Amino acid sequence: MDGTTADKRRGMSDLRRHRLRLEISREASRLFWEQGVAATTGDQIAQAVGLSTRTLWRHFRNKESCAEPVLLRGVEWGTSMLRDWPRHVSLEDHFTSHVRHYTLRATRTDHLDDLLAVRMSVLARTEPAIRAAWLMACDQAQRELAEIIAARVDLPADGLLVRVHAAAASAVIRAHSEHIGAALLTGADPLQFADAPRRIARAVHAATGGAVGGVPAA
């Protein structure tokens, strides 16, 4: 077997593993929300996906960690949006445009995953184990955000200033996400948050002292 064939097979195996982990996470998140974390067992999660419990534990270290892929999927949307942020466009304009395009092309599966991610971020308020998974996802996003900010301000990603900006921006995004998610789940009108991209972008700009969010000087 040559290197190219081996790499392709490894890539396919990784993709299958990713898809299975996400499917497990969807069912686990559904059960956590419907009946609570304490009342949900590994056996129930495995049965919902059609797996043996032994197979479930090959992919996750405990039942609570099953929520991580769904939470990461929600966070990855934000980091993907920021990676595509053109240097000549403000964060407010880019974020607003990106949300508009996503709304138009999102599939039913995308919307269901978004709902599960929101539910898990809200559940994290009262479930410490889910909170740990949520904070892990946010930490990963913060690290990627530091690299994105570093490229825009031409400073090292591991420098203190960039890390502070990334922490501030990440905290703003997380706080807004949790607030909006909780409000929507309790019946708030979605139109109330139609300008959320603008508000979040402006909050990031303010929290970073104007360093992040505006258009860099020519």
Side-chain angles (χ1 to χ4, degrees), residues 21-34 66-75 102 108-124 130 134 181 185:
R21 279 175 52 83
L22 182 56
E23 185 58 33
I24 293 170
S25 187
R26 287 167 175 154
E27 291 299 331
S29 298
R30 178 183 62 81
L31 290 169
F32 289 157
W33 183 257
E34 291 177 355
C66 291
E68 290 173 8
V70 157
L71 286 167
L72 280 171
R73 187 169 171 84
V75 168
Y102 176 78
R108 181 174 181 275
T109 298
D110 291 329
H111 287 305
L112 289 174
D113 284 345
D114 292 342
L115 176 60
L116 286 174
V118 167
R119 285 176 170 176
M120 289 305 96
S121 68
V122 169
L123 191 61
I130 303 299
W134 172 227
L185 289 179

Side-chain angles (χ1 to χ4, degrees), residues 76-216:
E76 285 167 357
W77 179 88
T79 54
S80 175
M81 179 272 293
L82 291 170
R83 281 195 295 270
D84 294 338
W85 179 16
R87 290 184 65 87
H88 64 282
V89 177
S90 70
L91 178 59
E92 181 177 341
D93 288 343
H94 178 61
F95 196 2
T96 300
S97 175
H98 202 85
V99 169
R100 185 182 302 118
H101 289 159
Y102 176 78
T103 300
L104 291 173
R105 67 175 183 265
T107 65
R108 181 174 181 275
T109 298
D110 291 329
H111 287 305
L112 289 174
D113 284 345
D114 292 342
L115 176 60
L116 286 174
V118 167
R119 285 176 170 176
M120 289 305 96
S121 68
V122 169
L123 191 61
R125 292 183 173 186
T126 56
E127 293 285 353
I130 303 299
R131 183 67 175 175
W134 172 227
L135 292 178
M136 283 178 62
C138 292
D139 180 70
Q140 178 173 319
Q142 182 176 319
R143 293 173 187 273
E144 294 189 39
L145 184 55
E147 296 179 0
I148 294 166
I149 291 174
R152 294 186 73 87
V153 300
D154 298 317
L155 290 172
D158 59 353
L160 179 59
L161 184 58
V162 168
R163 290 173 60 198
V164 168
H165 287 333
S170 178
V172 164
I173 295 170
R174 183 174 71 245
H176 276 78
S177 297
E178 292 176 351
H179 172 73
I180 293 171
L184 291 175
L185 289 179
T186 54
D189 184 352
L191 291 178
Q192 178 183 342
F193 302 104
D195 65 341
R198 177 183 61 81
R199 282 192 278 171
I200 294 173
R202 292 185 177 183
V204 167
H205 191 255
T208 58
V212 181
V215 179

